Amino acid sequence: SSGINAEYGVAIANSTIKSGACGKLEIIAQQIRFLQEQARQVLLDASTDERISKASCNFVKKPGKVYHLYQREDGHCYLGMLSPEEWGGNPPHEFVASYKLEYDMTFTPLQKVQKREQEMSRVHELFEERHVVSDHPPDLDISRHGDCSNRTKWINRPSIEPRKVPESSESSSSRA
């Protein structure tokens, strides 16, 4: 009877281990698919940026501005400052798309600008939150706390060394 109980216990343990491992492997598989999609998007964006960067342009491009890509009959592309609407709906060549030149010198399709700006706004918010978090890390010894709930609130910040403030010429002349 005790041998049967031991075998049953081992079988249950093996099943639990197998189930846990399968669950973890499924999470890893999902992450791999997500990373593959991100890699595909990065390559697509790089291809688009390359195409736009190779387009003729008779002006200095400035980050933050929107530019319009046109294609001539011979397949040659160029960037313009005028949208098809500013051409009265009749641009001189085939309109391809409009892009905003970002400050990292990449191009965002105009229809994705709002989404990108929302994402960047969230990144800036996270960065700002980082500056109001404590300079002291929490006690990470789980044996004393039993959980990790307070550790997710602390973000490691680089230490900032105090700078010496140079004396002004007025204060140094007053000593003389």
Side-chain angles (χ1 to χ4, degrees), residues 6-7 9 11 17 21 38 49 53-55 59 62 67 79 88 94 98 122 124-125 129 132 138 147 154 164 167:
E7 286 178 23
I17 291 168
Q38 281 188 315
D49 287 344
S53 294
K54 287 182 177 179
F59 52 85
K62 296 181 180 179
Y67 299 105
L79 276 180
E94 180 185 349
S98 296
R122 181 63 185 137
H124 289 286
E125 286 174 19
E129 287 174 12
V132 296
D147 68 38
W154 181 80
K164 290 185 178 180
E167 294 181 20

Side-chain angles (χ1 to χ4, degrees), residues 104-169:
D104 63 359
M105 301 308 283
T106 60
F107 291 91
T108 300
L110 199 55
Q111 67 271 19
K112 294 183 180 180
V113 167
Q114 185 176 5
K115 180 181 177 190
R116 178 178 164 103
E117 287 174 351
Q118 288 171 343
E119 289 169 354
M120 293 307 294
S121 175
R122 181 63 185 137
V123 167
H124 289 286
E125 286 174 19
L126 290 171
F127 181 77
E128 291 303 318
E129 287 174 12
R130 179 176 183 254
H131 290 287
V132 296
V133 178
S134 170
D135 286 330
H136 304 288
D139 184 352
L140 298 178
D141 185 353
I142 295 174
S143 65
R144 285 189 271 190
H145 299 287
D147 68 38
C148 298
S149 60
N150 70 334
R151 286 176 254 328
T152 59
K153 297 175 187 163
W154 181 80
I155 299 172
N156 188 11
R157 295 188 337 164
S159 61
I160 301 172
E161 296 295 322
R163 291 185 291 163
K164 290 185 178 180
V165 178
E167 294 181 20
S168 67
S169 57

Side-chain angles (χ1 to χ4, degrees), residues 59-73:
F59 52 85
V60 176
K61 294 178 281 213
K62 296 181 180 179
K65 300 291 183 184
V66 173
Y67 299 105
H68 312 279
L69 188 65
Y70 294 93
Q71 185 172 1
R72 292 189 175 101
E73 294 79 22

Side-chain angles (χ1 to χ4, degrees), residues 35-74:
L35 290 173
Q36 285 173 328
E37 176 57 28
Q38 281 188 315
R40 187 192 67 72
Q41 189 62 50
V42 165
L43 293 172
L44 182 64
D45 291 348
S47 175
T48 301
D49 287 344
E50 181 180 26
R51 178 179 183 205
I52 299 168
S53 294
K54 287 182 177 179
S56 298
C57 181
N58 294 328
F59 52 85
V60 176
K61 294 178 281 213
K62 296 181 180 179
K65 300 291 183 184
V66 173
Y67 299 105
H68 312 279
L69 188 65
Y70 294 93
Q71 185 172 1
R72 292 189 175 101
E73 294 79 22
D74 64 3

